[in-house]
Amino acid sequence: MKKTIRLLCVLQLLAVCNVSGVDDVNKPAKTTILMVDDHHILYSAGTVRKLIPLKRFSEKPIIAADKPWETTVAYCSVYKDPESGKYKLWYQAWPGRSGCYLCYAESADGIKWIKPELGLVEFNGSSKNNILFKNGYGASVIYDRNDSDPNKRYKSAFWEQDITKGLKFPGMCIAYSSNGIHWKKYPDNPVVKGSYGDYIQPPLVTDSKQKNAQGKPVSVSDVIDLIWDQNRQVYAVYAKTWLDGPKGDMHWKRAVVRTESKNFMDWTRPRLIIWPDEFDGINDIAETDRTAGGGGSDGVQLHSGPAFYYNDLYFSMLQVMDSGGTGNMPIELALSRDGYDWKRPFRNNWFIPPLDNKSLYDASLIWSNATPVYLNDVFRFYYGAYGKPWNSSDSRQISGIGFAEMPRNRFAGIRPRKRFGQITLKSLTLDRIKRIEVNGDASNGSIRVEILGDSGYRIEGFTKADSIPIKTDSLRNKSVWKEESVSRLPKGRYRLRIHLENAEVYAVTLIN
């Protein structure tokens, strides 16, 4: 070890110190570096990144549309109580012309669900149902453990547009609950004026009557996905919006906006963050009005973009709607570091793909949400789904709630293009780090972790030759060297180099 220290001192004299910290990944005790993007990667050689599609749990829905008020079910939110272990799920039920309902189900394991008879809302003369309230279209629910008011621990954001019942104008509304079952709508709803109406030119700024009738251009619309953004310490909503068309008419194509709030009542002006472009499809014929195929029906669109924040990264479960073409709406995984500037590195590589068998409940349209469930070794992504495509001539839709899952942190993997490849991470400190774990599959090859100095020179005792090869498929492969331990490294900055031979790596975790 003394020889290693002397070598480091020599290298420090030779190296040009990086004092700006631009490429610093210096994190506290436990840091997981996901291979889903290049944020922590200095460079790689001979490798390729591949998205790992989610695996559907079952061909049958875990919550079926089997009640009279459930002609179709779609949008949903889920919460797993960390103390009791109980799962709670809220979902939209659409019985037809009588409106839509926010419904509730609960489960001990997240697989077998019950729909309790709550006695809160009457449907067809009976209150023996699991309906929470009416006219909460596209509703989203979160549990807010930080709210000092126990009556507001559960929060919901949803769309309403029925101005015949006291609503001032269509828009995003909010509600509160102490238990997720008994809800109280905010008396001054809506909190954000929505975008909804006919296919007209945007109203003049002086035309108050038309502005109130049509809503704000590029504002929230009837799909609302609520989260607590722990990174920015705000409530945030990712919502469907409408883009103006080639001739300027409103409500042409769907896209995604974000609005946020500190107090859940006062929200920022919705900001356009993700929208369809020329790479999403060229079969757009909606250039005139709805009588010529317009009105948001044709061309590839982004129906909504439910987002969640995990491991210093925002993920969006983009609903890529192709109503006039394939009729499918699969899920694409998009990425952001700030919640506003989004990248789409996996375009046309589906996170949840469509299915060919249209008799299955989730074959065509996936209504993703912003509330994945993180279990020890598995991440679950619940969703509502329709089996028949947008352009199906069969009006008898099939639907249900299901989930797809993935092994922990395996959003995407990096593998060699041929046999060998290496990934060099940006410099970081390894102070107080006791071990390094590699989430990877080396069952047909090997993974070795090498440590370099900040200048790029190898460290004696931590070279590729010193590394004992990992040869298993595990979420927690331990990186071990023949005679050294990472805990014995002197303080300083280092680069980790991951050597791959017919293997794939998904994440690297530094553990104190």
Side-chain angles (χ1 to χ4, degrees):
M1 195 63 189
K2 291 182 179 179
K3 190 174 181 180
T4 300
I5 296 173
R6 288 197 299 270
L7 178 59
L8 284 171
C9 291
V10 173
L11 294 178
Q12 288 170 356
L13 292 174
L14 295 174
V16 177
C17 295
N18 175 13
V19 296
S20 66
V22 173
D23 66 350
D24 188 16
V25 199
N26 182 15
K27 295 292 183 181
K30 185 173 180 179
T31 299
T32 294
I33 299 170
L34 300 175
M35 296 295 133
V36 72
D37 68 357
D38 287 337
H39 184 71
H40 297 295
I41 296 175
L42 181 63
Y43 71 97
S44 59
T47 64
V48 62
R49 178 181 287 111
K50 295 289 186 181
L51 177 76
I52 311 299
L54 297 178
K55 182 179 180 181
R56 283 170 163 88
F57 173 72
S58 173
E59 290 187 349
K60 297 181 179 180
I62 57 172
I63 299 178
D66 55 7
K67 302 295 183 182
W69 55 92
E70 297 174 330
T71 303
T72 57
V73 299
Y75 309 103
C76 67
S77 301
V78 63
Y79 171 67
K80 181 177 183 291
D81 190 314
E83 296 181 1
S84 67
K86 178 188 287 188
Y87 289 76
K88 299 180 178 182
L89 190 143
W90 301 264
Y91 65 98
Q92 175 179 294
W94 182 271
R97 293 183 178 181
S98 60
C100 68
Y101 299 90
L102 181 65
C103 296
Y104 174 78
E106 57 188 32
S107 170
D109 60 5
I111 299 173
K112 297 179 180 179
W113 295 81
I114 63 171
K115 302 175 182 179
E117 293 183 354
L118 301 174
L120 299 176
V121 178
E122 187 175 292
F123 180 84
N124 288 349
S126 173
S127 60
K128 292 183 177 181
N129 56 59
N130 65 331
I131 299 173
L132 300 177
F133 60 78
K134 188 177 180 180
N135 295 332
Y137 192 88
S140 183
V141 176
I142 63 170
Y143 176 72
D144 182 9
R145 62 173 54 89
N146 296 319
D147 198 314
S148 59
D149 187 345
N151 294 315
K152 296 182 177 181
R153 291 284 166 79
Y154 290 87
K155 293 177 171 64
S156 179
F158 50 91
W159 171 266
E160 281 200 30
Q161 64 188 48
D162 189 354
I163 59 176
T164 65
K165 296 183 178 180
L167 200 69
K168 289 182 289 188
F169 42 77
M172 185 179 91
C173 301
I174 60 174
Y176 300 97
S177 173
S178 62
N179 56 10
I181 296 176
H182 300 90
W183 290 87
K184 184 177 181 180
K185 292 185 179 181
Y186 183 58
D188 200 24
N189 278 332
V191 292
V192 179
K193 186 176 182 180
S195 178
Y196 184 83
D198 296 327
Y199 315 110
I200 64 168
Q201 292 289 312
L204 293 171
V205 68
T206 55
D207 190 344
S208 59
K209 182 178 180 180
Q210 189 67 272
K211 284 164 64 179
N212 286 334
Q214 297 299 324
K216 292 184 177 181
V218 193
S219 184
V220 299
S221 192
D222 58 352
V223 182
I224 307 291
D225 286 288
L226 170 67
I227 65 170
W228 167 251
D229 186 340
Q230 64 198 65
N231 180 45
R232 301 174 67 93
Q233 292 291 295
V234 294
Y235 303 100
V237 161
Y238 289 87
K240 164 186 161 184
T241 193
W242 290 99
L243 302 177
D244 298 341
K247 293 187 176 181
D249 289 349
M250 296 177 68
H251 309 109
W252 172 62
K253 269 192 176 188
R254 298 162 177 86
V256 184
V257 292
R258 170 176 164 135
T259 176
E260 61 184 48
S261 172
K262 287 284 189 182
N263 61 9
F264 202 64
M265 295 174 290
D266 303 304
W267 294 80
T268 60
R269 179 179 179 180
R271 177 174 160 185
L272 182 65
I273 56 167
I274 318 177
W275 56 92
D277 57 28
E278 69 272 22
F279 301 107
D280 282 308
I282 58 175
N283 299 318
D284 299 340
I285 62 173
E287 293 189 355
T288 52
D289 56 33
R290 58 179 170 176
T291 61
S297 297
D298 298 294
V300 176
Q301 311 177 42
L302 302 181
H303 192 278
S304 187
F308 58 95
Y309 182 76
Y310 171 75
N311 202 70
D312 298 334
L313 185 62
Y314 295 83
F315 296 84
S316 178
M317 304 280 284
L318 283 179
Q319 300 168 8
V320 183
M321 170 187 176
D322 184 14
S323 60
T326 65
N328 294 324
M329 191 172 73
I331 301 304
E332 175 188 326
L333 190 67
L335 308 174
S336 174
R337 285 287 162 179
D338 63 1
Y340 284 94
D341 182 19
W342 288 85
K343 300 184 184 303
R344 299 174 62 189
F346 307 113
R347 195 188 295 252
N348 297 321
N349 294 287
W350 306 123
F351 200 42
I352 306 180
L355 302 173
D356 293 331
N357 184 356
K358 300 304 181 185
S359 67
L360 298 177
Y361 81 100
D362 59 347
S364 299
L365 279 62
I366 307 295
W367 309 100
S368 53
N369 66 49
T371 53
V373 174
Y374 308 112
L375 304 178
N376 284 337
D377 291 340
V378 174
F379 292 171
R380 287 182 180 174
F381 297 82
Y382 289 80
Y383 56 80
Y386 288 0
K388 301 295 176 62
W390 283 101
N391 52 8
S392 173
S393 59
D394 187 351
S395 61
R396 297 169 298 174
Q397 187 58 270
I398 52 176
S399 68
I401 304 293
F403 71 84
E405 58 189 8
M406 73 175 192
R408 170 173 286 272
N409 291 331
R410 293 192 175 187
F411 294 96
I414 296 179
R415 66 186 72 167
R417 290 182 178 274
K418 295 184 178 179
R419 179 180 175 183
F420 297 102
Q422 65 92 353
I423 306 161
T424 301
L425 301 184
K426 295 175 181 178
S427 62
L428 46 77
T429 61
L430 299 177
D431 299 355
R432 299 181 299 277
I433 298 302
K434 293 181 179 178
R435 70 178 185 271
I436 298 173
E437 291 183 350
V438 178
N439 184 338
D441 182 0
S443 55
N444 295 314
S446 68
I447 299 174
R448 300 173 189 257
V449 177
E450 186 173 47
I451 300 180
L452 312 176
D454 191 34
S455 57
Y457 293 97
R458 293 180 300 158
I459 304 299
E460 186 176 355
F462 296 92
T463 68
K464 177 183 177 182
D466 295 315
S467 175
I468 297 175
I470 295 168
K471 290 183 171 292
T472 56
D473 180 1
S474 172
L475 303 176
R476 300 174 182 86
N477 291 296
K478 292 181 176 60
S479 183
V480 179
W481 294 267
K482 294 176 181 177
E483 298 181 1
E484 291 290 3
S485 169
V486 67
S487 63
R488 296 171 59 189
L489 279 170
K491 290 184 178 181
R493 299 177 64 79
Y494 301 91
R495 297 176 186 174
L496 297 184
R497 176 166 288 176
I498 305 164
H499 290 276
L500 304 173
E501 180 180 0
N502 294 330
E504 188 166 19
V505 61
Y506 310 99
V508 175
T509 300
L510 312 179
I511 298 177
N512 187 320

